[in-house]
Amino acid sequence: MKRKWVILLQLLTVIPLLVILSGSFVVAADPVATFLTVEAQEKTDRFGEEYLAIVAKLTKEDGRAVGGRTITFFKVEDYFGLSSIKIGTAKTTAVGTASVKYETLREGVHQIEAHFTGDAEYLPAKIASGLNITNVMTVENGSIGLQPIQNAGLMLVGAIVLVVWFLLAFIVFNVFFRISRAGS
Amino acid sequence: MSFNETEIRELQLTSLKPITQRGWRSRLLIIVLSIFVVAGIAAYVYQLIRGLNVTGLNDDVFFGIYMTNLVAIIGISYGGAIVSAILRITHASWRAPITRLAEALAVVSLIVGALFAIIHLGHAERLWLIFTTPNPASPVLWDIIAITTYLIATLIFFYLPLIPDLAIIRSRFPSVIGKWRTRLYSMLSLKWKGSPKQQSILRSSTNLMALLIIPLAVSVHSVLAWAFSVSGREGWHSSIFGPYFVVAALFSGVAAVIIVVAVFRKAYGLDKVIGPKQIRYLGYLMLVLGLTYIYFTFAEYLTEGYVQTEASVVLIDSMLLGRFAPLFWFFMVSTGIVPVLLIAFPKTRTIRWITFAAVLVVIGMWLKRLLIVVPPLQHGFFGSETAAYTGSWVEFTITLGAIAAIPLMLLVIFRIFPVLSVSEIEEVAAEETERQAKAVPQIGEEVKA
């Protein structure tokens, strides 16, 4: 009888202790490694306009998606030496993808980087990739038949600038030559 | 009122006070300002080596503090133009003692402001492409032409009234100004003897310059405004942007003139020549311009806010209630409410309070330019959020250096040239005497009802 009570007491103390310890083991688990991929995609916004997006995907080692994490996008450009310029930030969706709009006028290979800084659960990840951008946006002034007016306007402005420069030159001449001459 | 010979001599000596009074305070001020300027130059060299990624600029927000400085500091130069040119054309006699200070401020602030057109370029060495491959359809080309022309005009406008002063001071006070200034004054005074012919040439040239500089100043700020408004971006695409920018420039420019005049008056004891009248009248001018600017702001936001397109709602919301609300409401209080109250009540219509109001106006108007430049870029064409912008230490250091460069250059200029336009003071006094003589009916003259 006494032995039964001892076993029961042991169960009541050991089991909760094991539960607590197992919980602390879960909290203290090492952060999981993550991996990033990046690609350029053509997307359509809610107004039906097409745009170019840089899409990154954050996954675990087993390929499962990591959602709700912030990805920062950079492009590497050569401004007196290579440097990373921030494009923007976006959070990963449930399928692990985060995308930012990418506006460029230059076709060719763009060096793009995506960074995930990591947190308590996941280790940081980084990817740098050369993306071949082909379908770039173009900027053109709309032609609505106002070209003759535009040309005449530019010529008029140019003529006004010339008149102003002539007047300035006249004043300088007036002052430097006529005042000096009148004083000598 | 006209001056006798002793009074004119006294005025000329007063105009040389920044040259003759060299206390430890002004030296210390020059050293402190120079440190800021050197720090600014060092930060720019760092930016030149590392590229624009050392700034807070990004693909979306490609204009930031640099563009704000460009608009705000060039705007300040406008104050010089209005005080000197418009008041000259309208024969406002109270202008005479402050014109030299105003004109110098116009030159200095224009030089510093225009530098930001270069500073905000990633590849500054590519600037020459504007001249070798100009695009006449681009507002940037016209911006450069307008600013360069305006700079030449302000330099000429600063120089013309100097000619008689330099000639007289050179011959009267060679021991006061020293050898190198005597040589410089001789060269710049162009054999001035004050003959009627010389006076006539100088007067006609100055008047023509005064007439020319007003449309030039208007064009500079209009072109600067159109560089934004022709873009089609929400918050920029506005038909009132031309006059809106011009009034803003006049408003902040007059405020800056008040600060410069008040500081130089106090520092060099110019209170016998520059009285409370000058500051008060400039205060009235600032008040009228301020109310006009607030009216423009109201008109702009009312029409944008009433239509409520998707993008305008986001933009106005961020300005009135969102991220930019503290800046916007500070601008409203510092430019629209405080100056009005301070100038409205006779008790606070003093030099000290008007100068305080002017300082608030300059700060408030800088913030307003930041609100014009940055928030529209932080929202896409359809109101979506894009990358946020926060200025970096490089941008702030360059800005502080540029702000310090303005008083530093003024101090240097007035260590070389007289601070008062004595010839203009004399000219105005003579005109006043003539006008009074005409107004008083002579004996035997019939008085008309």
Side-chain angles (χ1 to χ4, degrees):
Chain A
M1 188 68 183
K2 195 179 175 187
R3 191 182 161 78
K4 273 184 188 171
W5 279 110
V6 169
I7 290 169
L8 188 66
L9 195 66
Q10 278 176 344
L11 283 172
L12 282 172
T13 53
V14 171
I15 289 172
L17 198 66
L18 281 172
V19 169
I20 289 165
L21 283 174
S22 67
S24 66
F25 283 141
V26 170
V27 171
D30 284 338
V32 177
T34 54
F35 298 91
L36 270 169
T37 55
V38 68
E39 62 176 346
Q41 279 181 11
E42 272 182 38
K43 290 194 167 190
T44 309
D45 66 17
R46 57 194 161 126
F47 298 96
E49 292 285 329
E50 285 191 350
Y51 67 95
L52 190 65
I54 305 292
V55 182
K57 185 163 186 180
L58 185 67
T59 55
K60 292 185 222 174
E61 204 168 4
D62 57 9
R64 280 189 294 160
V66 179
R69 262 67 188 179
T70 304
I71 308 294
T72 311
F73 295 82
F74 297 90
K75 71 171 175 181
V76 183
E77 283 285 350
D78 186 4
Y79 288 121
F80 299 97
L82 288 178
S83 51
S84 299
I85 297 157
K86 190 174 163 186
I87 303 169
T89 56
K91 277 200 166 177
T92 53
T93 59
V95 292
T97 57
S99 71
V100 285
K101 194 173 173 187
Y102 187 60
E103 288 179 345
T104 180
L105 300 171
R106 182 174 65 80
E107 275 191 337
V109 177
H110 290 228
Q111 293 298 327
I112 302 292
E113 286 181 5
H115 295 194
F116 166 55
T117 52
D119 53 27
E121 283 181 67
Y122 298 104
L123 286 171
K126 182 179 171 182
I127 181 140
S129 179
L131 301 183
N132 192 21
I133 308 289
T134 49
N135 196 6
V136 296
M137 58 188 278
T138 52
V139 177
E140 274 176 24
N141 288 333
S143 178
I144 50 169
L146 290 175
Q147 204 59 34
I149 298 174
Q150 281 178 11
N151 292 341
L154 282 175
M155 282 168 70
L156 182 69
V157 174
I160 292 169
V161 170
L162 285 177
V163 169
V164 170
W165 285 351
F166 171 78
L167 284 173
L168 285 176
F170 171 73
I171 291 167
V172 170
F173 169 80
N174 221 11
V175 171
F176 278 94
F177 293 96
R178 289 186 62 207
I179 288 183
S180 297
R181 214 169 51 192
S184 53
Chain B
M1 165 190 151
S2 63
F3 295 105
N4 62 36
E5 200 54 36
T6 322
E7 283 168 332
I8 290 169
R9 200 181 160 80
E10 186 81 9
L11 269 176
Q12 280 158 348
L13 278 172
T14 309
S15 75
L16 298 175
K17 272 191 173 176
I19 296 170
T20 53
Q21 278 184 6
R22 290 186 172 196
W24 63 271
R25 280 182 192 160
S26 68
R27 285 208 178 99
L28 183 69
L29 185 63
I30 287 178
I31 291 169
V32 172
L33 293 172
S34 302
I35 290 170
F36 277 107
V37 172
V38 170
I41 293 169
Y44 178 61
V45 171
Y46 177 71
Q47 177 188 298
L48 215 52
I49 295 165
R50 295 285 304 273
L52 278 179
N53 66 319
V54 298
T55 67
L57 300 169
N58 51 57
D59 267 19
D60 294 309
V61 188
F62 46 82
F63 286 167
I65 290 174
Y66 293 154
M67 192 49 75
T68 305
N69 290 340
L70 176 82
V71 179
I73 301 177
I74 288 182
I76 283 174
S77 77
Y78 221 36
I82 188 180
V83 170
S84 254
I86 298 180
L87 299 181
R88 185 181 182 89
I89 290 167
T90 54
H91 298 286
S93 58
W94 58 271
R95 77 181 193 274
I98 57 172
T99 49
R100 178 75 36 84
L101 281 164
E103 285 156 9
L105 177 67
V107 172
V108 164
S109 51
L110 189 58
I111 292 169
V112 174
L115 280 179
F116 279 96
I118 303 167
I119 292 171
H120 100 288
L121 296 176
H123 278 280
E125 82 282 1
R126 290 184 189 164
L127 188 71
W128 64 274
L129 289 173
I130 279 187
F131 304 102
T132 52
T133 50
N135 175 11
S138 161
V140 177
L141 174 72
W142 296 106
D143 229 0
I144 298 275
I145 289 172
I147 291 172
T148 314
T149 312
Y150 183 50
L151 179 61
I152 294 166
T154 50
L155 280 169
I156 297 170
F157 200 49
F158 174 71
Y159 172 61
L160 292 181
L162 262 176
I163 296 171
D165 286 341
L166 296 182
I168 295 163
I169 288 169
R170 178 208 60 194
S171 58
R172 277 192 189 167
F173 311 107
S175 60
V176 176
I177 58 173
K179 272 182 189 170
W180 69 270
R181 275 192 208 88
T182 309
R183 272 203 296 273
L184 181 73
Y185 285 17
S186 299
M187 202 173 71
L188 295 176
S189 58
L190 307 172
K191 298 175 187 167
W192 178 267
K193 286 176 182 163
S195 67
K197 191 175 179 188
Q198 280 181 323
Q199 282 185 357
S200 155
I201 296 167
L202 186 66
R203 199 175 302 120
S204 62
S205 299
T206 314
N207 285 341
L208 182 60
M209 202 62 239
L211 279 173
L212 200 60
I213 210 156
I214 297 165
L216 265 178
V218 170
S219 76
V220 169
H221 247 68
S222 299
V223 175
L224 214 52
W226 293 329
F228 290 94
S229 61
V230 298
S231 72
R233 185 178 284 274
E234 192 63 51
W236 286 356
H237 186 59
S238 164
S239 58
I240 66 161
F241 251 37
Y244 195 32
F245 269 51
V246 170
V247 172
L250 288 172
F251 183 32
S252 57
V254 170
V257 170
I258 291 175
I259 298 167
V260 169
V261 168
V263 170
F264 270 82
R265 176 184 183 272
K266 178 89 177 163
Y268 294 109
L270 306 175
D271 42 333
K272 280 185 186 164
V273 194
I274 303 171
K277 183 181 173 182
Q278 274 78 17
I279 306 273
R280 206 171 55 240
Y281 282 12
L282 284 172
Y284 293 149
L285 209 52
M286 183 173 79
L287 177 70
V288 173
L289 290 163
L291 291 173
T292 314
Y293 191 72
I294 296 297
Y295 166 69
F296 269 118
T297 306
F298 177 73
E300 173 74 359
Y301 289 139
L302 178 81
T303 47
E304 293 260 351
Y306 197 82
V307 175
Q308 295 203 356
T309 59
E310 206 167 340
S312 74
V313 168
V314 177
L315 188 63
I316 291 173
D317 184 62
S318 75
M319 209 96 80
L320 303 186
L321 304 165
R323 187 184 174 207
F324 299 104
L327 303 183
F328 179 80
W329 292 111
F330 180 84
F331 148 73
M332 283 302 288
V333 172
S334 66
T335 57
I337 297 170
V338 177
V340 172
L341 292 177
L342 287 177
I343 298 169
F345 295 106
K347 213 171 185 180
T348 51
R349 212 180 289 148
T350 60
I351 293 176
R352 187 171 291 180
W353 283 113
I354 293 173
T355 310
F356 174 70
V359 171
L360 282 181
V361 166
V362 170
I363 298 169
M365 287 307 291
W366 186 88
L367 290 176
K368 182 64 178 62
R369 268 61 168 262
L370 188 77
L371 291 172
I372 288 175
V373 172
V374 175
L377 290 172
Q378 287 208 179
H379 298 99
F381 283 99
F382 301 110
S384 59
E385 274 285 337
T386 60
Y389 167 78
T390 312
S392 71
W393 68 267
V394 175
E395 286 165 283
F396 284 114
T397 311
I398 293 175
T399 303
L400 280 177
I403 292 167
I406 295 173
L408 181 67
M409 285 165 83
L410 284 175
L411 282 171
V412 171
I413 283 177
F414 291 121
R415 286 204 166 200
I416 301 171
F417 299 114
V419 73
L420 297 172
S421 181
V422 180
S423 58
E424 204 166 341
I425 297 173
E426 272 186 87
E427 186 189 316
V428 167
E431 277 175 14
E432 279 284 283
T433 314
E434 203 177 314
R435 208 174 301 142
Q436 278 167 10
K438 276 181 188 169
V440 176
Q442 302 297 307
I443 297 166
E445 191 180 337
E446 201 178 315
V447 180
K448 286 174 186 166

